[in-house]
Amino acid sequence: MSFQVTTESVNVPLIGERRRVDPCTIVIFGASGDLTARKLIPALYHLFESGQLPTPFRVVGFARREKSHDSWREELRAALEQLSRTKSVDAAVWQRFAGNLFYCSGDFNDSAAYGRLKLLLEGFGDESLKQNLLLYLATGPSQFAVVAENVFQVGLLHKWEDGADHWQRLVVEKPFGRDLQSARLLNNDLTRHIRERQVLRIDHYLGKETVQNILMFRFSNAIFERLWQRETIDNVQITVSEKLGVGSRGGYYEEAGALRDMLQNHLLQVLSLVAMEPPVSLEAEAIRNEKVKLLQSIRPLRPEDVARQVVRGQYFAGAIGGEPRIGYRQEIKVRPDSNVETYVAVNLFVDNWRWSGVPFYLRTGKSLPLSASEVRIEFRPTPHVLFAAREEASMMPNVLTLRVQPNEGISLAFNGKVPGTNSALRQVQMQFNYTSEFGAYTPEAYERLLLEAMAGNATLFIRRDEVESAWKIADAIREGWGAKPLTNREFYSAGSWGPVAAEDLLARSGHAWHDPQPSV
Ligand code: BG6
């Protein structure tokens, strides 16, 4: 098979500067999995539709099951009709897009299968399609190292040399190990033959517009940056709540739990963006250096600290919005006496000059009343409260809320005088809302991430030392929990905001959780 092509890179606006995305082939290992149909292909389709993919490009799906190029294309189209963010697939656009999709069947352990993959790529003719390769590991974690080794052995992966004409990059989905030790081993395996900068570890939270906006917001607005420190900020709350339970993912979740599934990655990433020092530039390494420094400044948790500063929980049967919900222990593939946490809340401290003494409260859980992710920055009260005698009850703190999702936006709460002859105060809000400001279009996280990966911009991907620093924090928590079973105070009813113990965690310092509000 060979193609006559004219090559054309596309210039796309990426973090920091406009970058070139060269013609390339994206090889998806584990192409029959959920991620490919739900996220990767819809993202690539939308990028193609909006003219953001280079010409030419190819996508090759690699998975065990035998199927033809056409049957794979058919499957993907059916999935896209259901899952595309625009809920519609333009037949003509799909036709042109689908002509770039190919399938190669093979077992991940079978070196002959990689030989077949290489042959398929060679048939693409164009050097860029043969040699600019984004090798996407959408497989189970146990296959990461096997695939990386095989693509290297068959000659599809080369160590990047400065000035080289072509590039190959490995894109890896979480989990990156299950603790520090396994993460180190995995990182060693992935970088055995290539450079760290060729490994792009995905945390899809970094692909969200609103998460990217944290840095933009902080470092382009002098008024807020000046307030971003211990003398003005009283506490920070990061909430990632999910309405869904574990659903069909019980098997995976039994091994992960909320700590590994969410806190170790998404929440600590958001924390590092909220709290890091200004980077020296918008280059990937400059930003990642600051994020690592922040993670390393988090006060280590000793086992006795875990008892005081961390709360885990597990949902039992309840109801959400009037719908009955089963408990975690009744979910498919979950042990009936499981002690796995579906909720975790932690009070962390960042021991540096900027944040000394400011509590950072992070929480995430499944089967909570609604799905919402937000960062709430609460400012200290005024030094002298003029209105205290009369208005104490209504003097609320100033609060800046970064709404990551849904109802994406930022609000600032402050006190204002209620019109009238008395001096009553009430909290009022200044609102920025993405949809009303910029219209409804917000690209899916994977669109951004794939584009950045093709362009070789590592800013939105997690560097080795970030992963390892985050595991140190998660491991300390797990060690503190040990093998202790869950106690009554750690269970919560599906549809509530988590276990009672989580309220105590904040009450001890005179704080309280502020739950995200349903979007109107
Ligand atoms: C994934 C977790 O990384 O993030 C899931 O494995 C979780 O358990 C999901 O549901 C949440 O992502 P989002 O983008 O829906 O907030």
Side-chain angles (χ1 to χ4, degrees):
M1 189 174 358
S2 99
F3 295 87
Q4 201 52 40
V5 284
T6 45
T7 66
E8 203 182 304
S9 306
V10 285
N11 280 312
V12 287
L14 298 173
I15 304 294
E17 56 189 67
R18 289 181 79 82
R19 295 190 188 241
R20 233 183 50 201
V21 179
D22 296 326
C24 61
T25 299
I26 302 161
V27 185
I28 306 174
F29 295 93
S32 42
D34 224 31
L35 183 76
T36 308
R38 296 183 75 86
K39 298 285 183 192
L40 302 182
I41 295 297
L44 288 166
Y45 172 80
H46 289 304
L47 288 173
F48 178 76
E49 196 179 26
S50 55
Q52 296 191 75
L53 289 186
T55 313
F57 78 96
R58 298 282 181 272
V59 179
V60 177
F62 184 106
R64 200 166 308 128
R65 246 170 274 158
E66 286 282 343
K67 62 184 91 156
S68 65
H69 304 312
D70 278 337
S71 59
W72 192 51
R73 292 170 187 153
E74 275 317 303
E75 266 172 37
L76 295 177
R77 181 179 175 147
L80 184 65
E81 310 231 324
Q82 279 179 4
L83 301 165
S84 127
R85 72 174 148 73
T86 53
K87 295 280 174 260
S88 72
V89 179
D90 181 309
V93 176
W94 171 260
Q95 197 66 27
R96 283 189 285 122
F97 175 71
N100 299 294
L101 306 181
F102 295 85
Y103 186 79
C104 177
S105 75
D107 190 288
F108 295 130
N109 291 298
D110 175 14
S111 54
Y114 296 85
R116 291 199 297 277
L117 172 65
K118 194 174 181 191
L119 267 181
L120 177 67
L121 297 180
E122 273 163 11
F124 291 160
D126 184 276
E127 274 315 302
S128 299
L129 293 179
K130 284 194 269 182
Q131 294 196 56
N132 286 342
L133 301 178
L134 196 67
L135 304 164
Y136 201 114
L137 307 185
T139 65
S142 59
Q143 311 288 347
F144 291 166
V146 176
V147 176
E149 182 64 30
N150 274 292
V151 283
F152 176 77
Q153 293 304 341
V154 79
L156 290 176
L157 180 61
H158 303 278
K159 190 178 213 151
W160 164 262
E161 301 296 345
D162 285 331
D165 288 338
H166 295 101
W167 49 263
Q168 297 89 40
R169 301 180 190 120
L170 282 181
V171 182
V172 194
E173 278 285 337
K174 82 177 180 58
F176 316 119
R178 42 179 295 107
D179 52 20
L180 177 59
Q181 200 196 1
S182 55
R184 279 190 177 141
L185 290 175
L186 174 64
N187 285 331
N188 289 345
D189 283 342
L190 292 176
T191 51
R192 177 151 299 134
H193 306 297
I194 57 174
R195 294 182 195 278
E196 164 61 25
R197 61 194 278 197
Q198 290 175 267
V199 180
L200 302 174
R201 298 174 190 81
I202 287 211
D203 183 309
H204 78 279
Y205 262 63
L206 296 185
K208 292 182 193 278
E209 277 293 334
T210 42
V211 172
Q212 287 164 28
N213 192 42
I214 297 174
L215 281 195
M216 305 293 163
F217 176 80
R218 283 191 55 196
F219 300 124
S220 63
N221 295 298
I223 50 171
F224 294 111
E225 187 50 22
R226 305 240 157 103
L227 304 178
W228 221 258
Q229 39 105 0
R230 60 190 296 275
E231 270 153 32
T232 26
I233 292 182
D234 184 77
N235 71 87
V236 176
Q237 292 184 16
I238 301 177
T239 298
V240 176
S241 66
E242 293 188 277
K243 196 167 163 184
L244 288 177
V246 296
S248 57
R249 296 169 76 222
Y252 155 77
Y253 207 81
E254 279 285 276
E255 297 302 315
L259 179 66
R260 289 189 174 110
D261 186 47
M262 298 292 286
L263 192 112
Q264 186 272 346
N265 38 78
H266 307 323
L267 278 92
L268 288 179
Q269 282 297 318
V270 171
L271 168 63
S272 61
L273 293 171
V274 168
M276 67 184 239
E277 293 301 312
V280 293
S281 75
L282 279 182
E283 284 304 312
E285 296 320 321
I287 293 177
R288 301 198 299 179
N289 287 345
E290 295 306 331
K291 285 167 66 197
V292 174
K293 260 167 59 189
L294 190 281
L295 291 171
Q296 291 171 346
S297 316
I298 292 175
R299 187 182 305 163
L301 294 166
R302 298 161 302 178
E304 60 270 30
D305 301 324
V306 172
R308 252 179 305 115
Q309 286 175 237
V310 187
V311 169
R312 59 186 172 157
Q314 187 190 89
Y315 61 89
F316 57 84
I320 303 184
E323 296 275 314
R325 296 285 285 267
I326 56 172
Y328 177 68
R329 289 178 175 181
Q330 287 84 54
E331 301 276 12
I332 302 160
K333 294 200 185 149
V334 168
R335 287 185 298 271
D337 58 351
S338 173
N339 278 305
V340 167
E341 78 289 351
T342 59
Y343 175 100
V344 60
V346 54
N347 174 8
L348 295 174
F349 289 95
V350 177
D351 283 341
N352 64 14
W353 281 49
R354 185 188 288 267
W355 294 117
S356 180
V358 177
F360 285 81
Y361 301 114
L362 282 60
R363 65 172 167 169
T364 182
K366 301 234 182 243
S367 288
L368 299 182
L370 52 91
S371 293
S373 304
E374 65 181 39
V375 180
R376 182 180 186 280
I377 293 147
E378 184 174 316
F379 294 91
R380 286 187 190 279
T382 48
H384 169 62
V385 185
L386 274 178
F387 307 94
R390 272 172 298 172
E391 308 297 347
E392 207 164 3
S394 55
M395 277 290 282
M396 302 293 282
N398 295 149
V399 178
L400 182 74
T401 306
L402 312 178
R403 291 189 307 277
V404 171
Q405 63 187 30
N407 188 21
E408 289 81 357
I410 297 177
S411 57
L412 180 64
F414 54 93
N415 293 301
K417 181 181 176 307
V418 178
T421 47
N422 65 8
S423 57
L425 286 177
R426 180 158 77 72
Q427 196 180 48
V428 293
Q429 303 267 353
M430 251 166 31
Q431 290 283 359
F432 152 60
N433 182 294
Y434 272 76
T435 309
S436 50
E437 192 65 34
F438 298 122
Y441 173 71
T442 325
E444 275 277 334
Y446 274 91
E447 293 177 33
R448 173 42 49 102
L449 291 168
L450 282 164
L451 215 46
E452 301 273 355
M454 284 185 260
N457 178 14
T459 313
L460 299 186
F461 302 90
I462 320 284
R463 204 167 63 187
R464 174 180 188 146
D465 46 359
E466 284 184 77
V467 173
E468 296 183 3
S469 305
W471 274 123
K472 275 188 201 153
I473 298 165
D475 283 2
I477 296 178
R478 194 152 288 285
E479 204 180 308
W481 288 341
K484 289 190 279 284
L486 291 164
T487 62
N488 283 345
R489 290 175 65 73
E490 291 171 320
F491 284 95
Y492 62 100
S493 137
S496 71
W497 275 105
V500 193
E503 300 302 328
D504 305 346
L505 181 72
L506 273 67
R508 279 198 293 271
S509 333
H511 294 134
W513 292 110
H514 289 265
D515 303 327
Q517 296 304 305
S519 32
V520 271

